[in-house]
Amino acid sequence: MTLQRIFVRRRKWLLAGAACVVLLSLLSPRWAAAQEPETSRPDYSRSLGWVALLKLEQFRPLPVPEPSFQNSALLPRLLDGGKLALSVAQLDQAVVENNLAIAAARYTVAMADADLLKARSGQNPSGTVAAPIPGALGSASFGSGGGGGPRNFAGPVNVGPRGSFDPALTLSLTIDTNTVPLNNTRVTGVSSVVTHTTAVQARYTQAFTTGTSFSVNFNVQRSSSTSRNQRFNPSFTSNYNLSVNQQLFSGFGFAMNRRYQTVAETNRQTAKHYFAQQAIAQLVQSENRYWDLVAAKETVRAAAQALAVAEQLLRDNRLQVEIGTLAPLDVTVSEAEVAARRRDLIVAQTAEQRAALDLKHLLARQMEEALAATAVETTDPLPEPRDSDIPAFEEAVGLALRHRPELLQAEGNLKNQEVAVAYTRQRLRPTVSVFGVLSSVGREADLTASWAQLRRLDFPEYAYGLSVSFPIGNRAAQADHQEALLNRQQGEAALQRTREQIRREVRNALIGLTQAKAQVRAAQVAVERSVQTLDAEQKKLR
């Protein structure tokens, strides 16, 4: 039938126009507004501040909003009289607000924020699926926390790096009773000694991004003994110890010790680009489903028109059989044609319902009964293709290379590999550090006198020194640096591959736009001629 040829050409026109619209929309600025994360989300990279620390809030978990699986307020506003009137702009807004894939990708940005907070504390960040941590960066922590206590002997002194960027304060109280059997009584005057000891200790450690770390220890101890020959019984012993370590060569400098912060800050931006990529993918899929639904509605209308024509032809043939101007076999053929057209209409209506359901699942967090039973009414017609819609190749490539999220992700990963290369290069050097120790001790029969001795440095200890350490052969550091260089070169290759892939996609998109434009114009002419032919045949039939 001529009407069927009209329908086929109209469908080609619709599909070509849909491809044209979607490809053009990828280069449209409105995608940038849709891909930004919610401005109201918490900033998990922010420190608590001194007021919160004084309230001891650092010992309580920070609140994290529970995920919402209810549809946003936009969808009820779009429902009107049992129909969901939907434009492309409203579709984009609904997808950004409700799509679960976009909601899941948004958590990646929050996790990158938390990773940055962890890096600022001096600990190793965990990384995310969108922004991993280079394995060659090593450990971010400086060393174990405490400083040395008073020493009762002379000998080598060595103070290594300790603490992290978040200072640590340790308070301890110990109460000890110790009974020791003795083999002679000359020193103590008794055969066994019972000692009661109560000690209070305070320790503070901190490291800095310059490669400097220090610790301060303060101890107060009260001891009493059953020994008869003690000078003070009970006795009070007080001491403090200040230890400082400065890393040189491999552990010196801001770039070295802030490497994880630098990577975490880059990963924070990379996570946003990952979110943008996921949002764009969902928006492209949603708009494709929108135009599929438009085409499905056109299919239903064309199938209904074909059924109406077939039914009219059947009525005319039956009338001609009654008056004897047509053979009964022609009625049977017309009945078969009506059945076939009715089947096509049912198939088209089923396809339309499925297309509407697919679209609803993309723009809703929860498929409520009211939404599931609602018919979708598309309000945007397919726009007519224009010459101005097709940009020049270099212009389109430049725009894509500046804004494509996957390219920005690759550039962020390459920056992280550069940080790893600089770190492993510095780790090739020997480990050299200078350190100093100042301590004092006091022991008297009362606490006040013991503190006075401590303050006057009556029994001080001064120490400073230089520590040099390097492995013979240095094979592990060499391997780490070679691995970092290889990873960087791999990242450069991946970045160039992404650029070439984007160029190919842009070129294919422009070719598709040009072909779609030509197909739409050819289909328009074909539809016009088919309509004219149909009118002529209907007049001839009458």
Side-chain angles (χ1 to χ4, degrees):
M1 293 178 61
T2 306
L3 186 61
Q4 290 299 105
R5 293 197 300 270
I6 297 176
F7 159 68
V8 171
R9 289 165 179 164
R10 180 187 296 177
R11 180 174 177 81
K12 291 181 179 179
W13 174 22
L14 288 168
L15 294 178
C20 179
V21 171
V22 171
L23 290 173
L24 283 176
S25 64
L26 289 174
L27 300 176
S28 175
R30 66 188 179 86
W31 290 97
Q35 68 189 27
E36 290 298 325
E38 294 177 349
T39 56
S40 59
R41 67 175 179 84
D43 183 4
Y44 296 101
S45 67
R46 185 169 52 88
S47 301
L48 292 176
W50 286 107
V51 176
L53 295 179
L54 294 176
K55 295 180 180 179
L56 302 181
E57 292 185 3
Q58 70 269 32
F59 303 115
R60 294 191 293 269
L62 296 177
V64 176
E66 291 292 332
S68 174
F69 299 111
Q70 300 297 321
N71 295 325
S72 66
L74 175 64
L75 289 182
R77 292 199 302 267
L78 296 177
L79 294 175
D80 184 18
K83 292 185 178 180
L84 179 64
L86 195 64
S87 65
V88 174
Q90 292 168 334
L91 170 67
D92 290 343
Q93 183 180 354
V95 169
V96 171
E97 293 180 1
N98 297 289
N99 187 270
L100 291 177
I102 294 179
R106 188 174 285 116
Y107 281 99
T108 307
V109 181
M111 288 187 285
D113 288 348
D115 243 13
L116 178 56
L117 181 64
K118 186 177 181 181
R120 288 170 177 169
S121 74
Q123 302 299 320
N124 302 28
S126 305
T128 63
V129 64
I133 303 296
L137 286 182
S139 174
S141 57
F142 276 81
S144 58
R151 302 190 314 138
N152 298 321
F153 58 91
V157 178
N158 187 18
V159 177
R162 60 198 63 204
S164 62
F165 300 150
D166 275 359
L169 177 63
T170 305
L171 303 175
S172 61
L173 169 66
T174 58
I175 300 175
D176 177 60
T177 299
N178 187 20
T179 303
V180 180
L182 302 176
N183 197 30
N184 66 78
T185 61
R186 181 176 299 276
V187 176
T188 61
V190 292
S191 60
S192 63
V193 175
V194 180
T195 304
H196 301 279
T197 305
T198 302
V200 177
Q201 183 185 50
R203 182 174 65 229
Y204 182 92
T205 59
Q206 187 173 6
F208 300 93
T209 54
T210 57
T212 308
S213 62
F214 79 96
S215 66
V216 179
N217 287 267
F218 182 77
N219 297 272
V220 177
Q221 178 177 301
R222 180 190 183 278
S223 299
S224 63
S225 175
T226 59
S227 175
R228 298 176 181 176
N229 298 326
Q230 293 284 343
R231 182 183 176 191
F232 306 115
N233 196 5
S235 66
F236 289 86
T237 303
S238 303
N239 70 80
Y240 73 81
N241 178 286
L242 173 61
S243 302
V244 181
N245 178 281
Q246 174 61 58
Q247 297 262 43
L248 303 176
F249 291 105
S250 65
F252 176 77
F254 293 108
M256 174 76 170
N257 297 296
R258 289 181 179 173
R259 62 190 184 278
Y260 272 114
Q261 294 186 44
T262 303
V263 168
E265 288 170 354
T266 301
N267 284 354
R268 191 185 191 190
Q269 299 302 318
T270 303
K272 294 180 180 179
H273 301 320
Y274 171 81
F275 169 80
Q277 184 180 11
Q278 300 303 312
I280 289 175
Q282 293 301 313
L283 289 169
V284 169
Q285 184 180 4
S286 300
E287 290 204 5
N288 282 333
R289 294 291 182 271
Y290 185 91
W291 299 120
D292 286 345
L293 180 59
V294 172
K297 289 180 177 296
E298 286 293 319
T299 302
V300 170
R301 282 194 288 269
Q305 293 173 7
L307 176 60
V309 171
E311 290 175 342
Q312 180 62 44
L313 181 61
L314 176 60
R315 289 192 295 269
D316 293 343
N317 288 347
R318 284 174 176 172
L319 181 61
Q320 293 184 57
V321 168
E322 290 178 0
I323 62 177
T325 59
L326 193 67
L329 180 61
D330 290 329
V331 173
T332 303
V333 173
S334 299
E335 290 175 344
E337 183 68 18
V338 169
R341 299 287 77 78
R342 184 172 290 112
R343 179 202 59 199
D344 293 342
L345 178 59
I346 294 173
V347 171
Q349 290 172 340
T350 303
E352 179 189 7
Q353 293 173 1
R354 289 177 177 175
L357 185 60
D358 291 342
L359 184 62
K360 291 176 187 177
H361 278 291
L362 290 172
L363 58 83
R365 296 190 180 189
Q366 186 179 28
M367 186 56 63
E368 301 169 349
E369 291 297 330
L371 181 61
T374 300
V376 180
E377 180 180 349
T378 55
T379 60
D380 280 354
L382 284 170
E384 294 291 333
R386 298 169 299 179
D387 293 336
S388 60
D389 293 333
I390 304 179
F393 173 73
E394 292 301 329
E395 178 187 355
V397 167
L399 185 63
L401 292 179
R402 288 193 301 271
H403 299 291
R404 286 286 289 266
E406 59 269 38
L407 182 62
L408 299 176
Q409 288 182 67
E411 291 175 350
N413 292 331
L414 185 59
K415 287 181 181 179
N416 289 345
Q417 295 301 334
E418 293 286 355
V419 175
V421 168
Y423 167 74
T424 54
R425 183 188 300 115
Q426 196 171 13
R427 290 290 294 176
L428 292 171
R429 303 175 181 178
T431 301
V432 181
S433 62
V434 293
F435 59 86
V437 176
L438 171 63
S439 63
S440 178
V441 65
R443 177 172 295 170
E444 277 292 345
D446 62 85
L447 184 59
T448 304
S450 175
W451 283 358
Q453 290 178 341
L454 196 71
R455 185 176 61 255
R456 295 194 302 267
L457 298 177
D458 289 349
F459 307 101
E461 179 187 7
Y462 307 94
Y464 55 90
L466 175 70
S467 174
V468 180
S469 174
F470 55 89
I472 304 299
N474 208 21
R475 289 182 291 184
Q478 290 284 352
D480 287 342
H481 186 57
Q482 291 169 0
E483 181 182 356
L485 289 173
L486 292 173
N487 286 332
R488 183 185 65 181
Q489 293 175 3
Q490 187 181 47
E492 291 174 348
L495 179 61
Q496 183 61 28
R497 180 186 61 194
T498 303
R499 291 196 184 103
E500 292 302 319
Q501 181 179 352
I502 290 175
R503 288 178 178 272
R504 183 175 66 252
E505 290 177 356
V506 170
R507 191 179 297 276
N508 288 335
L510 292 177
I511 293 174
L513 285 173
T514 303
Q515 292 179 346
K517 176 184 173 183
Q519 290 176 6
V520 168
R521 291 182 175 175
Q524 288 174 337
V525 174
V527 168
E528 292 175 358
R529 299 296 181 267
S530 297
V531 170
Q532 294 173 359
T533 303
L534 176 63
D535 291 340
E537 290 183 358
Q538 288 177 340
K539 292 178 180 178
K540 180 179 179 180
L541 179 63
R542 289 193 296 268

